[in-house]
Amino acid sequence: MRKGFFAYPWDLMDEGVEVALQNMAGRCGCNAIALTASYHSGRIFRPRISGPKIYVRPGAAVAFTPQPKHYEASTPLPIAEKRVAEAHVLEQTRKWCEKEGMDFGLWTVGLHNSNLGSTHPELCMRNCFGDVYNYILCPSNPRTRAYLRGLIADICDQFRPQRILLETANFLGMLHWVHHEKFPSTIGEAEASLSFLCFCPDCLARATQLGLDGEAVRQQVARWMEAFLNDERGALPATFTVADIPALLVESPALYGYVQMRTEVTATLVREVKDVAASFGTRLEIMPAAFGQPVSRAWREGISLRRLAEASDALLPLSYFADPKEVQADLRWTKLLSGGAPFDVGLSACHPFATSADDLAAKVAICMKEGAGGVYYYNYGMLTNERLDWVACANAQDTCHKSC
């Protein structure tokens, strides 16, 4: 079984690439890594790094110098984080992994890209009101699809990873959780879910191709959204709102058809990307949901687990839960809906999801019991030394001492 960390290249660079990798392998007992090749903006806390503790990424960027030959003329080029790219962290890591026998995976954020979205709003999602989500490129857009194919080809050509762990080849909703984002009203399940629907020209054109009246769906969704956002329902209990979306799908067969259309969009995109990766001998593993757990909520992002499993080499649910029973339920749902497709698991070793060494070890034991091919811990640079020891105990449960 593969056991490794999700890791950021700037953390490896600042700690020392070999020092960090030896720490993962020797201290923590890891035999794999999922190193970021492309990532979104963020302010990231790093407790173990000496000096400043917050790493600021003002925009989405890649950790290497892009090769224009892989991108069609109509598509934008990814922006490189110059400091990291010039340090050749990805190449150094690949060489170390080859020498030491560690599985080399590259964690790649695909369409969640505020930099490209801000400069190319025509590529972005648009909700029923026409609001542009500049943080997510629409997977229906042909130029967006060409961009993602080019990005994967570029990464595979330069670094030859054993696997790509792909995040965000899907739709997102209106809640982005950016700095100073302000939503003064309670956003319920219905309006939150409907906000994941895109009505950009390319989504509407795809709906027309499938015999759907996308504009009629947009108008209906806008009427519902106006009502939900203005009727001051307040923070109703989950038992009251849990059936809101199923009820709307029953009332509107056209809405159901539109939701299904989105799963075809994402699955065919993943298939295209998988074919690109396979041409370089690289496996493609896909995270079904980026902004919502449990994995049963992946449908909001335009995901069918069955279709996604058929289009990729493996699924990678991010089972970030505090209760081991919830991790188990998430994995069993993944297996049931995907038809028993291969899967790895993302576990968070951060607060508040991991509470002790025993807690993390119990979750890893569940992953093993359910048949996961690998476990990836979030996130190497964000963990305290004590939590690294928890990972070590989880990776060696039969030999770990209670002193952890």
Side-chain angles (χ1 to χ4, degrees):
M1 184 182 193
R2 279 172 285 111
K3 297 176 183 177
F5 283 104
F6 289 115
Y8 297 135
W10 48 88
D11 289 332
L12 270 64
M13 179 175 65
D14 291 343
E15 186 173 339
V17 173
E18 289 200 12
V19 171
L21 293 170
Q22 288 168 355
N23 203 28
M24 294 179 196
R27 173 181 179 179
C28 298
C30 290
N31 59 6
I33 187 172
L35 182 64
T36 307
S38 172
Y39 203 65
H40 50 72
S41 59
R43 298 176 69 246
I44 302 164
F45 183 60
R46 309 188 297 168
R48 300 193 323 275
I49 297 294
S50 61
K53 300 298 184 185
I54 298 176
Y55 191 84
V56 178
R57 287 174 54 81
V62 297
F64 58 90
T65 302
Q67 296 180 326
K69 67 180 182 180
H70 292 296
Y71 303 87
E72 296 181 10
S74 64
T75 65
L77 286 177
I79 297 170
E81 185 173 4
K82 187 175 180 181
R83 171 176 173 263
V84 177
E86 291 181 348
H88 304 291
V89 179
L90 271 58
E91 178 65 16
Q92 291 185 61
T93 302
R94 181 188 65 80
K95 291 179 177 178
W96 192 94
C97 288
E98 286 182 351
K99 182 180 67 174
E100 300 297 333
M102 178 178 281
D103 188 276
F104 178 53
L106 289 178
W107 169 24
T108 303
V109 174
L111 306 185
H112 178 29
N113 192 311
S114 300
N115 270 347
L116 294 185
S118 296
T119 54
H120 297 276
E122 73 280 5
L123 302 182
C124 295
M125 280 184 60
R126 295 174 185 267
N127 68 17
C128 62
F129 302 119
D131 299 312
V132 175
Y133 297 171
N134 68 352
Y135 46 86
I136 180 68
L137 309 182
C138 179
S140 292
N141 188 294
R143 291 170 60 200
T144 292
R145 297 168 78 94
Y147 163 76
L148 188 56
R149 292 193 303 269
L151 177 65
I152 297 304
D154 198 356
I155 292 171
C156 291
D157 185 33
Q158 291 199 55
F159 305 108
R160 305 289 169 147
Q162 288 160 280
R163 65 195 73 245
I164 293 284
L165 300 92
L166 181 60
E167 180 181 346
T168 62
N170 48 263
F171 300 89
L172 293 181
M174 65 181 174
L175 293 174
H176 181 215
W177 301 293
V178 295
H179 191 47
H180 289 168
E181 189 171 57
K182 297 181 180 180
F183 282 85
S185 301
T186 300
I187 306 298
E189 179 68 17
E191 51 269 43
S193 297
L194 292 174
S195 79
F196 282 78
L197 297 176
C198 179
F199 297 96
C200 73
D202 294 292
C203 281
L204 292 175
R206 184 58 186 146
T208 299
Q209 292 172 2
L210 296 177
L212 300 169
D213 188 343
E215 176 56 24
V217 174
R218 185 198 68 76
Q219 292 177 19
Q220 178 63 77
V221 169
R223 287 192 292 270
W224 282 332
M225 286 286 281
E226 287 282 6
F228 291 141
L229 293 171
N230 287 283
D231 72 356
E232 294 287 353
R233 294 202 297 172
L236 295 170
T239 53
F240 197 95
T241 61
V242 67
D244 283 0
I245 284 297
L248 295 181
L249 293 173
V250 168
E251 295 294 337
S252 176
L255 174 61
Y256 178 78
Y258 204 84
V259 168
Q260 284 292 317
M261 178 268 291
R262 297 158 75 243
T263 69
E264 183 264 347
V265 168
T266 56
T268 55
L269 175 57
V270 170
R271 170 66 70 177
E272 292 171 13
V273 171
K274 176 191 172 184
D275 290 344
V276 171
S279 70
F280 293 93
T282 298
R283 289 172 55 84
L284 182 77
E285 304 190 6
I286 180 78
M287 302 176 194
F291 279 77
Q293 284 82 32
V295 74
S296 58
R297 294 166 67 86
W299 72 269
R300 302 201 310 175
E301 299 181 20
I303 295 300
S304 156
L305 292 179
R306 171 183 55 81
R307 284 182 163 179
L308 205 63
E310 293 169 351
S312 64
D313 290 307
L315 300 179
L316 179 54
L318 303 178
S319 297
Y320 297 170
F321 302 104
D323 188 340
K325 292 181 180 179
E326 292 179 332
V327 172
Q328 184 175 55
D330 205 41
L331 300 187
R332 289 184 174 178
W333 183 272
T334 301
K335 292 163 63 177
L336 180 67
L337 272 293
S338 68
F343 69 97
D344 292 337
V345 186
L347 295 177
S348 177
C350 297
H351 173 82
F353 302 108
T355 59
S356 68
D358 287 343
D359 168 75
L360 191 59
K363 293 168 183 173
V364 173
I366 287 169
C367 294
M368 296 172 67
K369 179 181 177 181
E370 296 299 328
V375 170
Y376 293 92
Y377 303 99
Y378 186 85
N379 178 297
Y380 177 73
M382 297 167 61
L383 300 179
T384 61
N385 278 305
E386 181 177 1
R387 288 175 183 268
L388 290 184
D389 290 338
W390 293 1
V391 170
C393 286
N395 284 347
Q397 297 180 52
D398 53 343
T399 59
C400 185
H401 300 292
K402 290 296 182 181
S403 59
C404 291

